[in-house]
Amino acid sequence: MMMFKKEPLTAAIHAIVEAGGSESREARLVAENLVMANLLGHDSHGIGMIPRYVDALLEGGLTANQHPRIRLDSGTLLALDGCQGYGQVIGFEATAMALERAKQHGVCIMALGRSHHLGRIGQWGEQAVQQGLVSINFVNVISRAIVAPYGGADARFGTNPVCIAIPVPGEPPFLLDMATSAVAQGKVRVAHNKRENVSPEWLLDDRGNPTSDPRYGVIEPFGALRTFGLHKGYGLALACELLAGALTGGGTWHSEDKSRRRVWNGMLSIIIDPARLDANGLFASETTQFLRSLRKSPTAPGFDKVRIAGEPERETRARREKEGIAVDTTTWNEIQAAGMKLKVSKETIQQIAEGR
C-alpha cells in the first residue's frame, strides 16, 4: 500500500484529467470528487476510476468539457441531457439547477439522462442538504451488465444506486448512499487488486454459483454481483432502471456488448424544500426527537454505538485526512498507466502525488 495526502493526490489526478483535454475547472471538479470518495472510504468510486475514464475518453464514450443541455424546464419539472460529459461536472451543474428551482417552487423533479459516470451519488445529496433541502435520487447504469436478477444466474443490469439525503437540525445530515447490488462493483475490483476474497453473498461465478473469488467481477469469464436483500434489493434495482433509465430518456440496459468502457448514468432526482411543509416546526422537532430516541438503544455485541447513515463516512474522512489515503500498488500502477496513455509520464504523476 502507498499513502498519499489529499492535496498532492488531487493535483496528480487533475494533471491526468487535464491531459485528456479537460479545462482546468473540469479537471479540478473531477479530481476533487474522486479523492473525496477515497477520503470518505468509498474507494470503489475514487481515483481507481481514472483508468476506466481514460479508456472511455479514448474510446469516445466520454466527452470533455460538456454541460447539461436543457430539454424541458417548467420550473417544477426539469429534463436534462448530460451529453456524455464528465459526471462530476454534469452532476454538479444539474443538481444546482434543480436546487434553484426547488427553492423557488418548493419542489423540483429533475430527470437527467446520458451523463458519464456520476461518481459517488452522495455528493449530489450533500449538495442539497447544504442548502437545507431534501434530495431523493434514483440512478441507473449503462455499461457492461454486472448484477444478476433475483433467481437469475447471469448479469442483466448495473449496480443502480439510490441516495436519500435529509438535513438534520443542529447536526450533520442523514445521508443514505447505497448500491442496490450487495456491494459496489468497484469494491470487488479493489478486493481483486488487493488479492483479497469477498463474501459469497456478494458474487456469483460464471455458472451462477455463489463465490468468494473477486476475479469473477473483474476478468472473464465474468460472473455477476448479487442484489442486496434478495428480492427486495432486486425490486429496488428495477425501479432505478425504469425511473432513471426509461423515464429520463437516458435509456435502460439491454445489450450483450461487454466491450465498451464508458459508464453512462441516468438519474431521477426529487428535491424538496422541507420549510414549505413545516409551518409548525414539526419536521425539525420530530427529526431531533426520533434521532435522540434512536441513539438511546443499548449497543449490541460487536458494536461501539448506534450510527445513522453518513456517520461512518464522516469518521473515515477525519481519519484519512490525518493519516493519508492508502492506495494499493496495483491500482496505482493502473492509474499511472492511464496517465501515460495521455502522455503524462509515470515519474510526473508520482512526483506530483508525493508533493515534490
Side-chain angles (χ1 to χ4, degrees), residues 115-135:
S115 171
H116 199 261
H117 187 235
L118 286 163
R120 184 180 65 88
I121 306 304
Q123 179 144 343
W124 318 129
E126 289 167 352
Q127 191 174 340
V129 293
Q130 285 169 2
Q131 298 188 38
L133 303 176
V134 171
S135 174

Side-chain angles (χ1 to χ4, degrees), residues 4-275:
F4 298 99
K5 291 295 185 181
K6 178 179 69 174
E7 290 80 7
L9 183 59
T10 302
I13 301 304
H14 182 287
I16 295 172
V17 176
E18 193 170 40
S22 291
E23 297 172 352
S24 182
R25 172 183 178 269
E26 176 165 274
R28 175 179 57 80
L29 289 174
V30 174
E32 289 178 349
N33 174 281
L34 295 178
V35 172
M36 180 57 70
N38 286 104
L39 280 173
L40 293 169
H42 292 286
D43 296 324
S44 57
H45 289 65
I47 62 172
M49 290 300 303
I50 280 293
R52 187 76 179 266
Y53 288 3
V54 170
D55 287 347
L57 189 68
L58 297 175
E59 179 186 78
L62 167 60
T63 306
N65 304 315
Q66 299 299 304
H67 304 279
R69 180 172 61 83
I70 297 175
R71 296 192 295 110
L72 170 70
D73 185 359
S74 66
T76 57
L77 192 60
L78 185 63
L80 303 172
D81 183 346
C83 303
Q84 301 175 20
Y86 273 104
Q88 287 78 6
V89 174
I90 300 298
F92 174 75
E93 295 180 352
T95 299
M97 295 167 69
L99 299 183
E100 179 185 352
R101 285 152 183 79
K103 286 187 287 186
Q104 180 179 355
H105 301 285
V107 66
C108 178
I109 298 174
M110 186 264 287
L112 170 64
R114 293 193 340 119
S115 171
H116 199 261
H117 187 235
L118 286 163
R120 184 180 65 88
I121 306 304
Q123 179 144 343
W124 318 129
E126 289 167 352
Q127 191 174 340
V129 293
Q130 285 169 2
Q131 298 188 38
L133 303 176
V134 171
S135 174
I136 305 169
N137 307 273
F138 301 92
V139 180
N140 84 317
V141 184
I142 296 183
S143 182
R144 175 178 66 83
I146 58 175
V147 183
Y150 179 66
D154 70 348
R156 292 288 156 173
F157 48 87
T159 54
N160 292 7
V162 173
C163 175
I164 301 173
I166 304 171
V168 177
E171 63 176 276
F174 170 91
L175 183 63
L176 177 66
D177 180 12
M178 65 179 193
T180 50
S181 54
V183 66
Q185 193 272 341
K187 293 188 185 297
V188 177
R189 168 179 50 79
V190 170
H192 180 263
N193 288 349
K194 292 181 176 180
R195 296 172 174 79
E196 297 175 350
N197 286 337
V198 299
S199 168
E201 295 182 358
W202 293 2
L203 192 63
L204 302 176
D205 65 18
D206 59 328
R207 296 186 178 184
N209 299 308
T211 179
S212 60
D213 188 342
R215 71 185 176 92
Y216 287 104
V218 180
I219 59 177
E220 295 191 63
F222 294 120
L225 294 175
R226 307 170 76 177
T227 55
F228 83 88
L230 305 175
H231 60 284
K232 297 180 181 180
Y234 169 52
L236 190 55
L238 266 58
C240 287
E241 197 71 41
L242 299 175
L243 292 173
L247 188 59
T248 66
T252 60
W253 179 255
H254 43 74
S255 171
E256 298 297 328
D257 186 358
K258 299 179 180 179
S259 65
R260 303 283 183 90
R261 298 296 290 167
R262 82 288 187 275
V263 183
W264 293 339
N265 288 146
M267 180 166 69
L268 184 76
S269 298
I270 303 169
I271 310 297
I272 303 168
D273 182 355

